[in-house]
Amino acid sequence: ASAQAYVFNATVVPTGSLSYLALWPNGEAQPVVSTLNAIDGTITSNMAIVPTTNGEIDAYAAAGITQLVLDISSYFAP
C-alpha cells in the first residue's frame, strides 16, 4: 500500500530572511498557508502532516533562499 500522508519534521536553513515555506500534495494547487515561517533568517523547524495522492509532495520557499531538510517520522497508509 502507498502512503496517503507523511509526517515530517521540516527544517529550513535560510541564507537570510525567508518569508515562509509551504508543503502540499503534488499535483494540487499551492496553498495560501505556510508550513513554517523564518522571517528572521534563523534555522527553523516545524512538524507537518502533508497528504499525498501519488506519493510525492511539493515545496515552495517564498522570498528567500534556503536548504530544506525533511525528516520523515512516519506515514499514513490504508
Side-chain angles (χ1 to χ4, degrees):
S2 60
Q4 293 181 331
Y6 297 106
V7 180
F8 290 111
N9 182 50
T11 303
V12 292
V13 184
T15 59
S17 178
L18 176 71
S19 179
Y20 67 90
L21 173 80
L23 300 174
W24 70 95
N26 176 261
E28 294 188 14
Q30 181 180 336
V32 293
V33 297
S34 66
T35 301
L36 64 82
N37 300 307
I39 295 170
D40 59 359
T42 61
I43 297 171
T44 306
S45 297
N46 194 31
M47 191 275 290
I49 299 174
V50 183
T52 182
T53 56
N54 61 7
E56 299 177 10
I57 64 157
D58 292 330
Y60 175 74
I65 298 171
T66 189
Q67 293 183 24
L68 172 60
V69 180
L70 288 177
D71 294 312
I72 299 174
S73 64
S74 59
Y75 64 92
F76 296 93

